[in-house]
Each structure stands twice: as structure tokens, then as C-alpha cells.
């Protein structure tokens, strides 16, 4: 205790020294004292609470121990009273022996009286039971048999209880009921005969089979009751237990074995495919029999279709492998080789069949949303699905191997698909009248790419656990996009082949005096895009945007080819107004085709060029051209030269001044906006028509 006090004092001194290391801390001595006083009070309060809690617990424990001691004393007194009463009752029990013997005798007499009627009518009941067995009235026969056995067993049991060593009386009873055992054997033979013909009986007379099962269940209950009584008394009637349920399963097993063994109709020597035939016949018999069992032979007992192990699939992991692992690996390797060869042929045949459809005179089928399609994706992925279902039954690793093999073959197949689509286009260009449904089937080819993508993703989601991409994913994605883009380009080429004549009329003298070229262009494009509406998104949207860009580019190309040179301000105004009007026509058309999306920027390029032509004051030409360049920074010097040449009133000095100034202040093209002038070339004839000084300036700019 003194040591503890010293340690406490030393700790307190050290703590106070830590608080008063500086002179300015002396002013806070009172504050420190109050704080330590509060801490001390808090610690003392917690200590008191803890001690009080411990005292309360001790007090409660002592009270419970006191109560337990009282209960133990009460129990001790009660046990003493019971012991005293038991000693006094021993003599009484011994005096009741005569009563016990009288009870046993009364029980035997009562049993004899109860079975008296059956005892005297045993021969008659035996004869009736034999007739019922022969007439296949099995339930009624079994009921009478149970009555006979019950009478015999009760009499023998009472005799056993009275004098178990009296074999004479026991044999007398057994001999009197001697024919009962023969009836039991005859009934059993009938039961086994019905079970041997169970598959036929259940179709012809299912109640007969039900009767057999009920009889066996009754006998099982009697067996269990007799065995329980044997444990208690040591007595068991003759012929028990019958164990008919075990015999039933033996009969059924023998029936199944005989049915399977009897299905082998040929041997190895007679037919090399004997094993295949045997397995197929066995499969058919087993399947047919199981269907009959499932639909007609359902029983609720645990020993039959109601057994818990039959309620769910059996855990195959608990079974030994049928084949060694090296044999399994060899078979799987051969399967993959065969599958690779087969699927290559299947895909080639499927593509050949699809190609024949492309040349039909009828349109391809459409899906529920009206999009054209062919049966190729469904055929291909049905093949994949069937093989993957087989692979999934083997193991997870093999299933993924087959899936990767399918994707690899798919990649090669899509390359051939693209080549055939290109060849289809080239055949059409030799005679544009054939095939009659070229546009519709090219649309179907494009839509098939979308279906292929969805089907591949579906297969991977269903049969591939990992979310990581496979080595063929990128190649498949690229090839499908290439096929779709090629198809869209081929269709647009088809449109512009029909527009070629009308595009050649633009920005000519005929156009200036009045022509319906743009009207015809708009009508033709809209007509084609009524068919193109059957193309799935996003290909439909991308194709519309490309058609819009291409129409505007072709229009501007007509400007750059200098098909006309305006002679005066009136021609420039008239031409500019026509260009602005036609730009509005294009805007209206493509806004309609894109369901109201923004289409102004491309068409505004035509209007911006028109403003260059429409300007009446040549001195402001530089400002107008600068505005055009700022809006479309991908425009080049040769384009501006062509515009000025077409305008027809720009002097040599003005052209040179505009070009030199623009060259010094040309904005940088960032590439963010869609280019318009990038792919537009200016014919050489336009450039050579300029003066030598202008040509020198252009050459300098080109360099």
C-alpha cells in the first residue's frame, strides 16, 4: 500500500512539474487545481458506482444461493418420502401375482372368443381366398389373408405369453392354419407377375399396379409392427418378416435388366455400328419408359418417385468418373477438331444458301419492326447454340473453349461475308437492272451486321462467365462495322448513279435559265430513303448524314468546275438567289429525313458561296470572302480562285490582292467541325484559264 502511495505521489509531482515548466503557467495554477479537482471527483464517482454495482451483485448471488439451499432440502425430504412409500408397496405387488395370472388367462380367453368365428371358418376362408387370387382380385384376397394371419398370430401370441415352452399347443395352432402360408406364397407370385409386366399393366390397367403397391405397403407396416413386438416380447409369427418391398425392387430391377439386355438385336460381327444402334435403342426404351413412369406410375412413397434423391438432380460430383481423365481429354480434343471442320463447312453452306436468296425476285423478309433481314444470322447462331449446349453439359472450361472457337470461326466467316457483299455489288454494276431486289437485300446485309452483334453478345453473356473481351472481339467488331459501312456506301453509290445526270446540270447555263434538277434530286433521294428507313440504327442515321454531306459536296463541286461564268450583276444575283433557294430545299429535305435534327451548317456553305456571287460592290469582295473562309477554314486557295473566276468581274489586281491578304491571315483549321471543302478538287482547266500573273500567285500558294 505504501509503495502504491509513493508511486501516486511521484506521478502527481511529475505531472505538476509538466504543467509549471514556464513562468507564465503560474497564473493558471488555480485553473489547473480546479480541473484536477473535477477529474478527482469524477474518478471517485465512477469508483463508488463500480463498488456499489459489485456489492449489489454479491447481495443478489447470496440471496439466490440461500433459495437454492432451501429447494435442495425440500427435494431431499420428498425423495425420503418416495423411498418410504416404495418399500411399503413391495409386499402389495407380490400379493397381486394371482391377479396378474388371472388377467393373462382372461386375455387369452378373450382372444380365443374374438377369433372363434374365424377359427371355425378357416377352411372356407382359405378356399375363398384361393379363388380370389386366381381371379386376380388381389385387394380382396389380401384382406381375407390378413384376417387369417391375424387370427393365427393372435392365438400363437397368447399361447406364447401363457407358456412359451409349450411347443405342442403352438404346433397345433400352426398346423391348423397351415394352408395360410401357401395362400401368402400364391399371392406373392401374382404380385411379382404383375410387377414384371408393369410397363404394360400401367397402360392397360393402372389400378392393378396400384393394388399391388398398396398390398406391399400393408405388408411392410405389419412387418414393422411384428418386429417391434418381437423386441418387447421375443415372439414373432411364422413367415415374418415377409420383406415384400425388397423383393419388389429385385423384381423391378430384373425386369429393367431383361428389357435392356433384350434390346441388343445385332452383334459386332454382324454390324460395325452395333454399339450405336444398341445405345440408340436403349436410349429410346429408357426415355419411353421414364415418360411412362413419370406420367402414370407416380407414387408418394419415399422408396419410389417420392424419394428425396429424385426430387432434385443427383450430385454427379459424388459419383466416380465413367472414363479415365486421359480418355476424356483425348475425346474432347477429337471433338474440337471435328467441330472445327464441321462448322467451317456449315458456315460456308449457310453463306452459299444466303447468297442464292440475294438474287431472288422477291423482297427479303422483315422482322416485327419492319427491318429487312435474311435467315443467315439465325441459322449461324442456332448452330453455335446447339453445340454450346452440348459443351455446357461437359464442363465450364470446355464450354468456353467451344465458345472461343465459335468466335474465331465467326471472324473468318465475316471476312468472307464482306467479300461476297462486295462481289454482289460488282455484279450489280455490270447490269443495274439485276438483281431486281438489289437495294432491299443490301439493306438486309447491313441489318444482319446489327443482328450478328446482338447474337454474339447474347452468346457471350450466356456461356462466358468472364467479362474480359476475347481475342477475336475487336476483329469481329471491326469486320461487322466494315461490312455495314460498305453496304451503306454501296447504296449511296446507287443513289448518286441515278443523280449523276441531274448533278451535271447544276451551275450551267441551262440551270441559270431554269431547270428542275434540284427538285428531281430531292425527290430521288427521298424515294430511296423510304427504302433506307428499313435500315436499323445507327446505320440509318449515319447513312442519312453521309448522304446530306455528299449532296452538298457534289453541289459545291459543280461550282468549282466553273461550268458557267456570270456575265453581269443580274446573272450573279439570279444565280445566287437560285443557289440560296436550292440550299433551303436541301435543308428541308434532310431535316425531314433526320426527324428534325440540325442540318443547317452543310447547306449554309452553299448560301455562303452564293453571297460571294451576290455582292454588287467589288470593293467589298475581300470582306465577303474573308467571312466565307472564317466559317469554313478547310477551304483552300484554289477554291477561292475558282469562285472569283466564276464571278466574272474581279480584276487581276483585286484577285491577287485578295489571295495575298488571305494567305497572310488564313485561319488555322482545327479539324473539330465536319470538313466540306477538304475532298473537293478544282479542275486544272480552271486554274490555267487565269492570267500568268494570277497563275504565279496560285502556284506560290499551292507550294
Amino acid at each position: 500500500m505504501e509503495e502504491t502511495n509513493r508511486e501516486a505521489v511521484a506521478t502527481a509531482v511529475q505531472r505538476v512539474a509538466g504543467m509549471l515548466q514556464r513562468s507564465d503557467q503560474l497564473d493558471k495554477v488555480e485553473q489547473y487545481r480546479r480541473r484536477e479537482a473535477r477529474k478527482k471527483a469524477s474518478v471517485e464517482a465512477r469508483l463508488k458506482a463500480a463498488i456499489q454495482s459489485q456489492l449489489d451483485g454479491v447481495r443478489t448471488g447470496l440471496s439466490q444461493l440461500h433459495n437454492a439451499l432451501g429447494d435442495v432440502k425440500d427435494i431431499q425430504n420428498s425423495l425420503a418420502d418416495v423411498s418410504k412409500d416404495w418399500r411399503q408397496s413391495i409386499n402389495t405387488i407380490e400379493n397381486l401375482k394371482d391377479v396378474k395370472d388371472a388377467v393373462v388367462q382372461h386375455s387369452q380367453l378373450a382372444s380365443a372368443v374374438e377369433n372363434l368365428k374365424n377359427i371355425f371358418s378357416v377352411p372356407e376362408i382359405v378356399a375363398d381366398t384361393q379363388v380370389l387370387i386366381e381371379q386376380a382380385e388381389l385387394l380382396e384376397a389380401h384382406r381375407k389373408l390378413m384376417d387369417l394371419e391375424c387370427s393365427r398370430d393372435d392365438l400363437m401370441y397368447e399361447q406364447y405369453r401363457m407358456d412359451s415352452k409349450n411347443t405342442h399347443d403352438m404346433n397345433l395352432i400352426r398346423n391348423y392354419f397351415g394352408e395360410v402360408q401357401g395362400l401368402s406364397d400364391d399371392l406373392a407370385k401374382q404380385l411379382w407377375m404383375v410387377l414384371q409386366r408393369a410397363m404394360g399393366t400401367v397402360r392397360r390397367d393402372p389400378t392393378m399396379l396400384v393394388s399391388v403397391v398398396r398390398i406391399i405397403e400393408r405388408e411392410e407396416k405389419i412387418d414393422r409392427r411384428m418386429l417391434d413386438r418381437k423386441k418387447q416380447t421375443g415372439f414373432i409369427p411364422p413367415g415374418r418378416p415377409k420383406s415384400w418391398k425388397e423383393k419388389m425392387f429385385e423384381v423391378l430391377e430384373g425386369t429393367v435388366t431383361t428389357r435392356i439386355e433384350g434390346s441388343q438385336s445385332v452383334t459386332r460381327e454382324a454390324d460395325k455400328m452395333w454399339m450405336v444402334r444398341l445405345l440408340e435403342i436403349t436410349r429410346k426404351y429408357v426415355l419411353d419408359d421414364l415418360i411412362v413412369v413419370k406420367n402414370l406410375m407416380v407414387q408418394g412413397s419415399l422408396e419410389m418417385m417420392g424419394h428425396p434423391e429424385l426430387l432434385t438432380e443427383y450430385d454427379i460430383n459424388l459419383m466416380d468418373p465413367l472414363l479415365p481423365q486421359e480418355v476424356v481429354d483425348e475425346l474432347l480434343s477429337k471433338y474440337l477438331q471435328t467441330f472445327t471442320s464441321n462448322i467451317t463447312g456449315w458456315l460456308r453452306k449457310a453463306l452459299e444458301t444466303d447468297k442464292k436468296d440475294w438474287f431472288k425476285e422477291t423482297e427479303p423478309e422483315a422482322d416485327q419492326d419492319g427491318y429487312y433481314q435474311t435467315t443467315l444470322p439465325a441459322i449461324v447462331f442456332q448452330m453455335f447454340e446447339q453445340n454450346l449446349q452440348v459443351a455446357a453439359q461437359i464442363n465450364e472450361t470446355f464450354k468456353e473453349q467451344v465458345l472461343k472457337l465459335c468466335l474465331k470461326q465467326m471472324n473468318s466467316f465475316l471476312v468472307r461475308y464482306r467479300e461476297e457483299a462486295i462481289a454482289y455489288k460488282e455484279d450489280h454494276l455490270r447490269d443495274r437492272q439485276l438483281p431486281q431486289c438489289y437495294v432491299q437485300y443490301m439493306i438486309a446485309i447491313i441489318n444482319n451486321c446489327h443482328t450478328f452483334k446482338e447474337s454474339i453478345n447474347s452468346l457471350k453473356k450466356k456461356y462466358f462467365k468472364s467479362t474480359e473481351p476475347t481475342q477475336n472481339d475487336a476483329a469481329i467488331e471491326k469486320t461487322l462495322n466494315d461490312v455495314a459501312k460498305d453496304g451503306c456506301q454501296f447504296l449511296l453509290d446507287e443513289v448518286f448513279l441515278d443523280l449523276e445526270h441531274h448533278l451535271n446540270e447544276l451551275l450551267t447555263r441551262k440551270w441559270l435559265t431554269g431547270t428542275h434538277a434540284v427538285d428531281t434530286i430531292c425527290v430521288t433521294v427521298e424515294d430511296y430513303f423510304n427504302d433506307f428507313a428499313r435500315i436499323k440504327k445507327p446505320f440509318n442515321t449515319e447513312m442519312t448524314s453521309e448522304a446530306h454531306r455528299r449532296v452538298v459536296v457534289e453541289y459545291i463541286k459543280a461550282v468549282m468546275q466553273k461550268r458557267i461564268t456570270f456575265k453581269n450583276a443580274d446573272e450573279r444575283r439570279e444565280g445566287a438567289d437560285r443557289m440560296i433557294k436550292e440550299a433551303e430545299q436541301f435543308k428541308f429535305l434532310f431535316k425531314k429525313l433526320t426527324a428534325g435534327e440540325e442540318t443547317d451548317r452543310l447547306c449554309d456553305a452553299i448560301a455562303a458561296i452564293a453571297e460571294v456571287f451576290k455582292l454588287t460592290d467589288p470593293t467589298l469582295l475581300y470582306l465577303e470572302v474573308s467571312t466565307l473562309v472564317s466559317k469554313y477554314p478547310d477551304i483552300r486557295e484554289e477554291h477561292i480562285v475558282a469562285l472569283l473566276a466564276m464571278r466574272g468581274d474581279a480584276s487581276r489586281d483585286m484577285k491577287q490582292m485578295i489571295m495575298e491578304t488571305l494567305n497572310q491571315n488564313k485561319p488555322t483549321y482545327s479539324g473539330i467541325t465536319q470538313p466540306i471543302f477538304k475532298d473537293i478538287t478544282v479542275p486544272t482547266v480552271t486554274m490555267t484559264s487565269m492570267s500568268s500573273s494570277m497563275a504565279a500567285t496560285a502556284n506560290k500558294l499551292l507550294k
Side-chain angles (χ1 to χ4, degrees):
M1 190 67 179
E2 293 179 358
E3 182 66 23
T4 303
N5 290 335
R6 285 197 298 271
E7 290 180 359
V9 171
T11 302
V13 170
Q14 185 177 3
R15 187 167 181 178
V16 171
M19 292 179 182
L20 302 177
Q21 290 181 353
R22 298 191 308 273
S23 58
D24 58 335
Q25 292 178 328
L26 294 175
D27 297 336
K28 299 180 181 179
V29 169
E30 185 61 26
Q31 180 181 347
Y32 292 154
R33 187 186 65 77
R34 288 196 299 271
R35 186 175 66 186
E36 292 302 322
R38 286 196 299 270
K39 287 183 180 180
K40 180 181 177 183
S42 175
V43 170
E44 289 177 348
R46 291 199 299 271
L47 184 59
K48 288 179 181 179
I51 293 173
Q52 184 64 39
S53 175
Q54 292 292 331
L55 291 175
D56 291 343
V58 171
R59 186 181 296 107
T60 302
L62 290 174
S63 175
Q64 292 175 348
L65 287 173
H66 180 73
N67 294 336
L69 179 61
D71 293 340
V72 168
K73 290 181 178 179
D74 292 341
I75 294 171
Q76 187 177 11
N77 294 332
S78 298
L79 288 174
D81 295 339
V82 170
S83 178
K84 180 179 179 182
D85 294 340
W86 178 75
R87 291 191 187 94
Q88 293 176 354
S89 64
I90 291 177
N91 296 329
T92 304
I93 294 173
E94 292 177 353
N95 295 332
L96 293 176
K97 185 176 183 302
D98 295 337
V99 177
K100 180 180 179 182
D101 294 338
V103 169
V104 171
Q105 187 177 8
H106 180 272
S107 175
Q108 292 171 345
L109 293 173
S111 177
V113 171
E114 182 180 352
N115 293 284
L116 191 61
K117 180 180 179 181
N118 290 337
I119 291 173
F120 287 115
S121 60
V122 166
E124 181 184 352
I125 297 174
V126 168
D128 292 343
T129 305
Q130 187 67 49
V131 172
L132 290 171
I133 292 174
E134 293 174 356
Q135 294 177 350
E137 298 291 338
L138 302 182
L139 279 177
E140 183 63 22
H142 185 251
R143 186 184 65 78
K144 290 182 176 295
L145 176 62
M146 286 194 301
D147 290 342
L148 290 171
E149 289 180 338
C150 182
S151 298
R152 180 197 65 183
D153 297 345
D154 287 347
L155 289 173
M156 294 183 72
Y157 176 63
E158 295 302 332
Q159 177 60 38
Y160 179 85
R161 289 178 60 192
M162 184 175 65
D163 187 1
S164 61
K165 296 180 181 180
N166 189 348
T167 57
H168 178 269
D169 292 346
M170 192 73 74
N171 289 332
L172 182 66
I173 298 172
R174 180 182 290 109
N175 293 333
Y176 186 76
F177 288 91
E179 296 183 24
V180 174
Q181 185 61 40
L183 290 176
S184 178
D185 295 339
D186 291 342
L187 179 61
K189 291 178 182 178
Q190 289 291 328
L191 299 182
W192 311 146
M193 188 179 299
V194 172
L195 289 174
Q196 287 171 350
R197 303 170 182 173
M199 301 308 298
T201 302
V202 75
R203 294 185 176 94
R204 184 179 64 257
D205 186 8
T207 57
M208 177 68 74
L209 190 61
V210 173
S211 298
V212 170
V213 175
R214 287 181 178 175
I215 291 170
I216 294 173
E217 288 180 344
R218 289 176 184 173
E219 289 295 336
E220 281 297 305
K221 291 179 181 178
I222 297 173
D223 279 352
R224 289 194 295 270
R225 189 168 66 249
M226 293 299 105
L227 290 173
D228 290 341
R229 188 164 69 177
K230 180 183 178 182
K231 293 178 181 178
Q232 297 174 0
T233 65
F235 171 78
I236 188 166
R240 293 287 177 185
K242 293 183 179 181
S243 302
W244 279 6
K245 185 175 73 172
E246 294 180 8
K247 180 62 177 176
M248 176 187 70
F249 287 122
E250 291 176 3
V251 172
L252 290 175
E253 183 178 355
T255 302
V256 173
T257 302
T258 302
R259 183 167 175 80
I260 293 176
E261 292 177 349
S263 62
Q264 183 175 350
S265 58
V266 294
T267 61
R268 182 192 299 271
E269 291 75 15
D271 188 350
K272 293 181 179 180
M273 300 295 289
W274 71 276
M275 179 61 75
V276 175
R277 295 181 184 275
L278 174 60
L279 291 175
E280 177 58 23
I281 293 172
T282 303
R283 182 197 66 80
K284 185 177 183 302
Y285 282 174
V286 170
L287 182 60
D288 292 344
D289 291 350
L290 287 177
I291 291 174
V292 172
V293 171
K294 179 178 183 296
N295 296 327
L296 301 178
M297 300 177 67
V298 176
Q299 300 288 332
S301 86
L302 295 179
E303 293 79 12
M304 303 189 70
M305 296 303 291
H307 196 283
E309 290 185 358
L310 298 178
L311 299 179
T312 57
E313 291 187 4
Y314 187 74
D315 187 359
I316 61 174
N317 294 322
L318 302 178
M319 301 174 63
D320 295 331
L322 296 176
L323 296 174
Q325 188 59 42
E326 57 271 16
V327 176
V328 173
D329 294 340
E330 182 180 356
L331 290 174
L332 294 181
S333 177
K334 289 182 179 179
Y335 177 88
L336 288 177
Q337 294 175 6
T338 305
F339 173 66
T340 302
S341 175
N342 289 344
I343 203 167
T344 302
W346 294 336
L347 291 174
R348 184 183 301 108
K349 185 177 180 180
L351 182 54
E352 290 297 328
T353 303
D354 202 59
K355 279 171 54 183
K356 292 179 182 178
D357 293 342
W358 298 354
F359 294 89
K360 287 183 177 179
E361 296 181 359
T362 56
E363 294 183 355
E365 297 178 355
D367 63 11
Q368 66 272 16
D369 297 320
Y371 296 118
Y372 286 134
Q373 62 179 5
T374 68
T375 58
L376 182 62
I379 293 173
V380 169
F381 285 94
Q382 184 179 9
M383 290 188 294
F384 288 170
E385 179 77 25
Q386 291 173 351
N387 284 277
L388 284 168
Q389 287 176 354
V390 174
Q393 295 177 4
I394 298 174
N395 57 55
E396 188 71 23
T397 302
F398 186 70
K399 179 188 69 176
E400 294 187 357
Q401 284 181 324
V402 173
L403 176 59
K404 291 178 181 179
L405 183 57
C406 289
L407 295 178
K408 181 179 179 181
Q409 292 297 318
M410 187 68 191
N411 186 33
S412 302
F413 167 76
L414 290 176
V415 172
R416 293 195 299 274
Y417 190 52
R418 184 185 184 193
E419 293 171 352
E420 294 297 342
I422 294 173
Y424 182 55
K425 182 262 299 187
E426 293 174 349
D427 288 341
H428 171 70
L429 292 180
R430 295 187 186 99
D431 182 358
R432 293 188 62 215
Q433 301 302 317
L434 297 175
Q436 292 186 7
C437 297
Y438 167 78
V439 171
Q440 289 79 6
Y441 276 98
M442 188 59 73
I443 291 174
I445 291 172
I446 297 170
N447 289 338
N448 284 350
C449 295
H450 186 273
T451 306
F452 277 131
K453 286 184 180 181
E454 290 183 337
S455 300
I456 290 172
N457 291 334
S458 176
L459 280 184
K460 289 174 61 180
K461 185 177 181 180
K462 185 175 181 180
Y463 293 103
F464 198 57
K465 287 186 176 181
S466 175
T467 57
E468 295 295 325
T470 66
Q471 60 181 2
N472 294 292
D473 286 358
I476 291 175
E477 180 78 13
K478 181 180 183 303
T479 306
L480 284 173
N481 288 335
D482 289 344
V483 174
K485 289 179 180 178
D486 287 348
C488 293
Q489 190 64 43
F490 297 159
L491 292 176
L492 287 179
D493 291 343
E494 186 74 5
V495 175
F496 282 89
L497 282 174
D498 286 348
L499 297 180
E500 185 175 4
H501 172 70
H502 306 291
L503 291 171
N504 290 335
E505 288 185 4
L506 297 176
L507 279 297
T508 61
R509 282 289 165 189
K510 181 180 179 181
W511 168 82
L512 186 62
T513 57
T515 180
H516 299 289
V518 171
D519 296 335
T520 306
I521 290 171
C522 291
V523 170
T524 303
V525 170
E526 185 172 6
D527 181 62
Y528 267 104
F529 270 83
N530 286 333
D531 287 336
F532 297 164
R534 293 176 178 264
I535 299 176
K536 293 182 178 180
K537 292 182 178 181
F539 307 127
N540 177 286
T541 305
E542 294 172 357
M543 192 171 177
T544 306
S545 299
E546 178 59 21
H548 185 191
R549 190 194 71 83
R550 195 162 168 180
V551 165
V552 172
V553 167
E554 291 296 329
Y555 194 100
I556 297 176
K557 279 184 179 179
V559 176
M560 298 303 168
Q561 289 172 359
K562 199 193 170 203
R563 299 173 181 174
I564 183 175
T565 301
F566 297 123
K567 298 179 179 179
N568 51 50
D570 291 338
E571 283 191 357
R572 286 192 290 274
R573 184 185 68 255
E574 184 178 353
D577 290 342
R578 178 174 286 275
M579 290 176 67
I580 294 171
K581 176 186 174 184
E582 290 171 349
E584 291 298 323
Q585 286 181 261
F586 290 145
K587 281 185 184 180
F588 178 79
L589 169 65
F590 287 103
K591 186 168 291 187
K592 180 179 179 181
L593 295 180
T594 56
E597 293 184 8
E598 178 59 42
T599 60
D600 291 348
R601 183 178 182 279
L602 289 171
C603 294
D604 285 346
I606 299 175
I609 293 173
E611 292 298 333
V612 174
F613 294 153
K614 192 174 183 180
L615 187 66
T616 56
D617 186 356
T619 59
L620 301 177
L621 193 57
Y622 168 73
L623 295 177
E624 198 64 47
V625 172
S626 299
T627 302
L628 176 64
V629 173
S630 64
K631 288 182 179 179
Y632 303 94
D634 64 316
I635 194 169
R636 301 191 299 275
E637 287 83 351
E638 58 265 32
H639 298 140
I640 299 173
V641 170
L643 293 180
L644 295 176
M646 183 174 173
R647 181 177 167 87
D649 66 339
S651 64
R652 181 184 306 170
D653 294 338
M654 181 176 292
K655 292 177 182 178
Q656 186 170 353
M657 182 271 294
I658 292 174
M659 297 305 300
E660 289 178 350
T661 306
L662 288 176
N663 187 43
Q664 295 173 2
N665 302 290
K666 185 175 181 180
T668 302
Y669 174 56
S670 63
I672 297 176
T673 58
Q674 184 180 13
I676 299 176
F677 294 89
K678 180 181 178 182
D679 299 326
I680 299 176
T681 59
V682 179
T684 306
V685 64
T686 303
M687 302 299 297
T688 56
S689 64
M690 299 171 60
S691 63
S692 57
S693 60
M694 194 64 205
T697 302
N699 287 332
K700 180 182 70 173
L701 294 174
L702 287 171
K703 292 178 181 178

